[in-house]
Amino acid sequence: AVNAVVRGKKIVEQGTVDGYANAITNALNALVLKTVSNPQTPTAPEAPNTGDNSNLSAYAMLALLSLLGIIVLKKKKLTSK
């Protein structure tokens, strides 16, 4: 703010500057501190709805059964040699 001061103003403009200063001072004095009586605590956001309603456990069970079938077939192939 000090660097924004313009030097060399005419004395007739001092009344205008004083008026601005008084307006700023009055505005600052008129500020009122507001208190919040019941602050709300933020809640965790919900997961977005992706539209994927498939049952993941069914796919996991299918993968396990497939893996078990592969293991059984490999053992059967090794024992038959």
Side-chain angles (χ1 to χ4, degrees):
V2 173
N3 294 334
V5 172
V6 178
R7 304 285 179 196
K9 286 271 193 191
K10 296 180 183 178
I11 194 68
V12 294
E13 296 177 276
Q14 186 60 45
T16 305
V17 173
D18 288 342
Y20 293 154
N22 285 335
I24 291 172
T25 303
N26 292 338
L28 288 174
N29 290 335
L31 291 176
V32 177
L33 180 65
K34 290 186 177 183
T35 58
V36 178
S37 61
N38 187 12
Q40 295 179 352
T41 56
T43 58
E46 293 183 18
N49 188 6
T50 61
D52 185 12
N53 297 326
S54 62
N55 190 357
L56 187 60
S57 60
Y59 289 114
M61 184 62 75
L62 183 62
L64 283 174
L65 286 175
S66 299
L67 183 62
L68 183 62
I70 291 171
I71 292 172
V72 168
L73 288 175
K74 288 278 187 179
K75 281 189 178 186
K76 192 173 190 180
K77 186 177 181 181
L78 288 175
T79 58
S80 65
K81 286 187 175 182

